[in-house]
Amino acid sequence: MAASPSSSSSGVDPTQHKYDVFISFRGDETRLKFTSHLYRALIRNNIKAYIDEISLEKGEVISRALPKAIEESSISIIVFSKDYASSTWCLDELVHILKCQKEKFQIVLPIFYEVDPSNIRKQKESYHTSFVQHEQRFSNEIEKVRQWRKALEEASGNSGWDSQGKSEASLVDEVVKDVKEKLKYIGEGVKKMLEGLETDLESANKFLEDAEEKQLTDENVRKWLLEMKEVMYRADALKDKIKYEELKRKAESDSEAQRH
């Protein structure tokens, strides 16, 4: 499956990613069927996935927890189903996911589960019915409805999967395989970034040591050296944080996989 051009992983900040995947879905339709199968398959493959019913921590308020979980995920999977658009929760999630795609370069992967992609893009049939109701209910917030419509058009244009003509098992296998490949790509990018950062730090440290040995007396130069040292300390701390977060994420993923 080819990724959407806007699904680049460049610019991703790995220190902010608590989850590999966030799954957006209409609970009444797919929670006990396709979505549960997909979630468990991801976990079995040591992919840390967020699904509201299971991943929501005690004491968390769902209206704040979901946007945060989206922001902390490398990939968002949207399971479009017949009545996805009837849920304002789902539509708000979708808007936030696309915001993260634009601002955080998050990878967005749609799955068209027993629904024609053109019905989503053009808001026909059940999607048309849902928006007739939304426009009546939110007649004083018509801009919100327009955002939902635009989000559906944009998201349905991403490269993804159509469930028609496929068994759920084969569809789940395809999605998991593609997610693993994309996470590997992100991981390789983080590794290269760390290697580059370490090389830059070594070079900068040598330069600073050389400057200190020459006992530079110019006050402006001495001030600059102190500022450079502070930058170096922060860069070194960032490097350690990235390594720590990756080890932590892997340990949490392994632990969740063992529970399932």
Side-chain angles (χ1 to χ4, degrees):
M1 187 201 77
S4 159
S6 57
S7 296
S8 166
S9 65
S10 61
V12 171
D13 183 353
T15 65
Q16 295 181 355
H17 290 165
K18 184 176 179 180
Y19 306 100
D20 294 320
V21 174
F22 178 91
I23 305 175
S24 175
F25 64 101
R26 182 76 168 98
D28 292 347
E29 287 184 292
T30 68
R31 185 187 302 277
L32 300 179
K33 299 189 295 182
F34 176 77
T35 299
S36 65
H37 300 155
L38 174 61
Y39 173 77
R40 292 185 182 280
L42 291 168
I43 295 301
R44 283 196 301 272
N45 282 271
N46 292 319
I47 297 170
K48 190 168 186 187
Y50 185 99
I51 187 171
D52 56 12
E53 182 183 66
I54 299 172
S55 307
L56 193 67
E57 297 177 4
K58 289 183 179 179
E60 281 191 307
V61 178
I62 193 167
S63 60
R64 291 197 295 267
L66 293 182
K68 186 170 182 286
I70 293 169
E71 293 165 12
E72 293 177 337
S73 299
S74 299
I75 298 171
S76 279
I77 293 177
I78 307 161
V79 183
F80 285 120
S81 53
K82 181 181 176 182
D83 289 325
Y84 182 92
S86 67
S87 168
T88 57
W89 280 97
C90 288
L91 293 171
D92 283 339
E93 279 181 13
L94 182 61
V95 169
H96 200 66
I97 286 169
L98 293 180
K99 180 182 178 184
C100 289
Q101 184 183 36
K102 292 183 178 73
E103 297 179 0
K104 298 177 178 290
F105 301 96
Q106 185 180 92
I107 296 172
V108 176
L109 304 173
I111 299 172
F112 304 101
Y113 182 74
E114 297 182 351
V115 64
D116 189 327
S118 68
N119 288 349
I120 299 170
R121 187 165 52 255
K122 299 177 182 178
Q123 282 120 59
K124 298 189 299 183
E125 296 188 8
S126 61
Y127 280 70
H128 171 74
T129 302
S130 292
F131 272 92
V132 168
Q133 295 171 353
H134 293 327
E135 287 175 348
Q136 292 174 348
R137 180 182 173 190
F138 298 98
S139 58
N140 295 326
E141 299 177 77
I142 203 64
E143 185 56 37
K144 179 194 286 285
V145 179
R146 289 198 187 101
Q147 284 184 344
W148 291 340
R149 284 188 179 278
K150 184 179 178 182
L152 286 169
E153 291 171 9
E154 289 182 11
S156 61
N158 278 268
S159 179
W161 297 268
D162 190 337
S163 70
Q164 293 182 15
K166 296 179 182 178
S167 68
E168 286 198 5
S170 64
L171 179 57
V172 166
D173 287 344
E174 284 184 29
V175 175
V176 171
K177 180 182 177 182
D178 192 71
V179 168
K180 287 174 72 174
E181 289 175 354
K182 285 178 169 53
L183 289 173
K184 181 182 178 182
Y185 176 73
I186 292 172
E188 288 173 351
V190 172
K191 183 180 179 182
K192 288 180 181 178
M193 183 186 72
L194 280 173
E195 290 172 350
L197 181 58
E198 287 178 344
T199 300
D200 291 343
L201 284 171
E202 287 176 7
S203 299
N205 271 321
K206 288 178 182 178
F207 173 79
L208 289 174
E209 288 171 2
D210 183 60
E212 285 184 328
E213 286 176 2
K214 291 179 179 177
Q215 297 183 339
L216 299 176
T217 56
D218 187 292
E219 186 60 30
N220 289 329
V221 174
R222 289 172 65 85
K223 183 179 178 182
W224 177 80
L225 284 173
L226 288 173
E227 290 174 350
M228 280 294 295
K229 280 185 176 181
E230 180 63 27
V231 171
M232 295 290 292
Y233 291 146
R234 291 178 182 175
D236 200 46
L238 174 62
K239 179 191 70 175
D240 291 340
K241 181 182 178 184
I242 292 172
K243 289 181 176 179
Y244 167 77
E245 290 293 340
E246 178 59 20
L247 289 171
K248 180 183 175 184
R249 188 205 63 76
K250 187 177 184 306
E252 290 175 347
S253 181
D254 289 345
S255 174
E256 195 160 358
Q258 289 175 4
R259 290 200 302 270
H260 291 81

